[in-house]
Structures are given as structure tokens and as C-alpha cells.
């Protein structure tokens, strides 16, 4: 088939969606047709390569279970999750940057009081995280909810080690005080590999990419009238900080976990010195502060 016939085919498939009543769905499918056909023309797969691609996607679907989402992982390692997250982030310069949710927010975090230890069953470097939730004008967001979850110092979430960590270890749901303030105790998390025993792991192996994420703590910050913020703080200096397997590091989210030796300060936080202290102030935006994304054909 010559070039003209190929573009006629592309036009024909595009036109097949012309009667779609939902204009957004129509635009998405017609754009998908154009980009997909252009990609196929550019890469010119053999029949065997195309079948291998179909089999890869089939295995990706078959690897999904109630507690595993291999398609999200594929989106993550292709940088698509991060792109979607960033396109839908708050359109306000002061807002705290968002980043990917990831697959481990799969259980409800236990309700904890400000100052609680979220990792009572973990061994590692003691750490205190202190922060304040404010709006884009710097005003406190009283009683914002702060959901946090993290891997332990060996790089595992509670759900990955059901025999070693009780449910809720490494997790906490906090309510900020009237000034938007919050703090909690934990251990410094470590870098860890994303799951590699499925098709996404095979893709990373075939392309000589490592599977590691730098050490981080996940946050979801929410308050009525404000846009929900899904983000992390990353431990400054962590291994893989410059090569996150899912491309989710933004420099604004890297926090110093500063070693503190002061026994009086340690006593105030209920930890032993030395401990590490990280500060994470969060700027959330009002629901009507932001703009939606637009489809660009
Ligand atoms: C996570 O940080 O929990 C995560 C994010 C994307 C893929 C795998 C894990
Ligand atoms: Fe994580």
C-alpha cells in the first residue's frame, strides 16, 4: 500500500467516529487514530512484532488482580501517569506540585492523632515530619486531612509484607490543627523497586532500565472547597533521586531530612536523639482556582 492509501485509511477510520454524539469521546478517538497510525507508519512493525506487542498487552491485562494493576504500572514506567498528573495539576504557581498516586494506596490509613508514630512496627532511623497546610494566599487551611503512607526502611509497604508488618504500619490519616499544622513520627523510608515479576518488569529488563524509586513519603491533602492534592516528599540525597523508574520526582518535592542532635528537641517530639527532621509545607488551591486541560489535536 502506498503513502496515499495509508492516509486514506487513516482518514476513513477517523471519519468512522464522526457520528459520535459525545464530542469529547469523538475528539479523543480521532486523535488516537491519527497518532496511532503515524506511530505504526514510523516504526513499520513486522507481523511477528505486532503479534508480540498484542501478547505483551494481553499479559499486562492478565497480570492485573484485585491488588495489582499492571496497566497502571505500564503507564507509570512510560511516564504517562506523570504526564496526566502534571497536566491536571493546579494552575496556580504557589501550589505544591502533585505527583503520581502509585499502586500502594490500597487500604485505608488508620486515623492517628497529630504527633503519632505511623511506623510503630518499623526499625530504622527515627524521623519527624512537620508541616502546615495553607492556601495560595498563605492562609491556614484549618483541619485539612492529611493521608500519608510510606515503605519501611527495607523498602516494603505493609501490604507487601503481611506476615511481617501489621496492616496500617507506615500509614496514617491526620487532621491538621486550626492553623493547618501537623506533624508525625516515623522512620526514614528507603528506595525500593517497583514490581518486576510481570510484563512491565520484562520491559524494564529488555531495555536495561532499573526498577527503583527514590525514598519518599506519599501524601494526599484534602479539605472542603479545595482541590485534592496527591503528592510525595522525596528524601534529599536518596539513591535514584535522579532516575526514578516512574519519572515522578519534581525538584520542589525534595526535602532535606536533617540530622538533629539536640536532646531537648528530641524529647519535645518524643524521639531519641539523634533523629531526622523534615519540613513539608503544603499549599492547596481552591476548587475554582484551576483550569482543566484541553485536547490538542
Ligand atoms: C509508589 O510510589 O508507591 C509507586 C508509584 C508508581 C509505581 C509503583 C510504585
Ligand atoms: Fe511509593
Amino acid at each position: 500500500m502506498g503513502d496515499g492509501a495509508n492516509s486514506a485509511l487513516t482518514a476513513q477510520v477517523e471519519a468512522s467516529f464522526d457520528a459520535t454524539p459525545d464530542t469529547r469521546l469523538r475528539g479523543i478517538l480521532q486523535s488516537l487514530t491519527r497518532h496511532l497510525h503515524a506511530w505504526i507508519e514510523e516504526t513499520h512493525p513486522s507481523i511477528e512484532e505486532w503479534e508480540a506487542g498484542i501478547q505483551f498487552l494481553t499479559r499486562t491485562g492478565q497480570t492485573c488482580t484485585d491488588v495489582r494493576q499492571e496497566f497502571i504500572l505500564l503507564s507509570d514506567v512510560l511516564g504517562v501517569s506523570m504526564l496526566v498528573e502534571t497536566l491536571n495539576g493546579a494552575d496556580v504557581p504557589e501550589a505544591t506540585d502533585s505527583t503520581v498516586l502509585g499502586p500502594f494506596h490500597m487500604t485505608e490509613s488508620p486515623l492517628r492523632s497529630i504527633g503519632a508514630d505511623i511506623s510503630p512496627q518499623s526499625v530504622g532511623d527515627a524521623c519527624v515530619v512537620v508541616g502546615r497546610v495553607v492556601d495560595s494566599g498563605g492562609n491556614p487551611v484549618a483541619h485539612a486531612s492529611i493521608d500519608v503512607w510510606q515503605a519501611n526502611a527495607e523498602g516494603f509497604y505493609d501490604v507487601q509484607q503481611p506476615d511481617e508488618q501489621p496492616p496500617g504500619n507506615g500509614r496514617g490519616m491526620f487532621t491538621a490543627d486550626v492553623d493547618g499544622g501537623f506533624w508525625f513520627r516515623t522512620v526514614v523510608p528507603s528506595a525500593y523497586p517497583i514490581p518486576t515479576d510481570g510484563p512491565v518488569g520484562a520491559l524494564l529488563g529488555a531495555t536495561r532500565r532499573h526498577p527503583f524509586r527514590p525514598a519518599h513519603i506519599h501524601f494526599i491533602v484534602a479539605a472542603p472547597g479545595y482541590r485534592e492534592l496527591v503528592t510525595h516528599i522525596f528524601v534529599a540525597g536518596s539513591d535514584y533521586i535522579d532516575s526514578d523508574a516512574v519519572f515522578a520526582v519534581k525538584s520542589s518535592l525534595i526535602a532535606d531530612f536533617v540530622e538533629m542532635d539536640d536532646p531537648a528537641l528530641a524529647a519535645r517530639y518524643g524521639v531519641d536523639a539523634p533523629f531526622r527532621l523534615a519540613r513539608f509545607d503544603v499549599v492547596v488551591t481552591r476548587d475554582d482556582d484551576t483550569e482543566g486541560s484541553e485536547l490538542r489535536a
Side-chain angles (χ1 to χ4, degrees):
M1 216 195 278
D3 284 355
N6 290 347
S7 52
L9 173 66
T10 304
Q12 206 181 352
V13 179
E14 259 196 271
S16 76
F17 295 117
D18 277 351
T20 308
D22 181 330
T23 53
R24 174 74 176 152
L25 178 62
R26 183 167 73 226
I28 287 173
L29 290 171
Q30 292 185 325
S31 174
L32 176 69
T33 302
R34 286 192 298 276
H35 288 276
L36 200 51
H37 283 218
W39 177 59
I40 291 295
E41 291 222 46
E42 184 186 319
T43 57
H44 202 313
S46 66
I47 301 288
E48 292 74 22
E49 286 170 336
W50 184 241
E51 282 172 358
I54 298 281
Q55 277 164 16
F56 173 80
L57 292 176
T58 304
R59 281 196 305 279
T60 300
Q62 288 168 339
T63 306
C64 295
T65 67
D66 285 352
V67 291
R68 178 155 180 177
Q69 233 302 355
E70 194 77 358
F71 265 114
I72 295 184
L73 204 57
L74 180 58
S75 158
D76 293 339
V77 302
L78 294 177
V80 176
S81 305
M82 198 53 197
L83 190 53
V84 173
E85 186 60 51
T86 303
L87 285 173
N88 286 284
D91 204 11
V92 173
E94 297 81 17
T96 297
D97 280 326
S98 60
T99 191
V100 295
L101 176 67
F104 293 115
H105 186 251
M106 44 167 54
T107 58
E108 270 187 26
S109 300
L111 295 178
R112 299 195 194 266
S113 307
I114 289 180
D117 183 357
I118 67 165
S119 302
Q121 266 77 26
S122 299
V123 177
D125 289 344
C127 161
V128 173
V129 179
V130 182
R132 189 157 173 255
V133 184
V134 296
D135 67 15
S136 51
N139 309 299
V141 179
H143 311 307
S145 70
I146 301 133
D147 189 359
V148 296
W149 69 105
Q150 68 166 85
N152 64 13
E154 282 82 50
F156 294 104
Y157 288 86
D158 56 350
V159 290
Q160 294 176 292
Q161 290 187 309
D163 299 332
E164 284 150 67
Q165 296 188 54
N169 191 51
R171 298 177 194 265
M173 173 68 88
F174 294 91
T175 301
D177 64 23
V178 71
D179 291 320
F182 67 89
W183 67 275
F184 59 88
R185 290 171 287 150
T186 185
V187 295
V188 179
S190 98
Y192 64 82
I194 63 171
T196 54
D197 56 345
V200 171
L203 184 150
L204 294 181
T207 55
R208 306 295 182 270
R209 277 177 54 181
H210 75 71
F212 287 92
R213 299 216 59 211
H216 58 273
I217 303 177
H218 294 261
F219 284 73
I220 298 178
V221 181
Y226 291 86
R227 195 184 178 93
E228 183 178 271
L229 174 73
V230 177
T231 194
H232 314 350
I233 48 171
F234 292 91
V235 179
S238 167
D239 289 344
Y240 309 105
I241 199 83
D242 295 322
S243 63
D244 185 359
V246 302
F247 308 99
V249 179
K250 289 178 173 168
S251 56
S252 63
L253 299 176
I254 300 175
D256 285 324
F257 282 58
V258 183
E259 182 153 320
M260 309 296 281
D261 283 327
D262 180 354
L265 188 63
R268 259 181 43 211
Y269 285 126
V271 293
D272 293 329
F275 68 102
R276 308 266 291 272
L277 182 62
R279 173 126 211 135
F280 187 42
D281 292 320
V282 178
V283 181
V284 289
T285 55
R286 293 192 177 276
D287 279 336
D288 51 9
D289 266 353
T290 55
E291 290 173 6
S293 63
E294 281 167 23
L295 178 71
R296 280 178 200 102

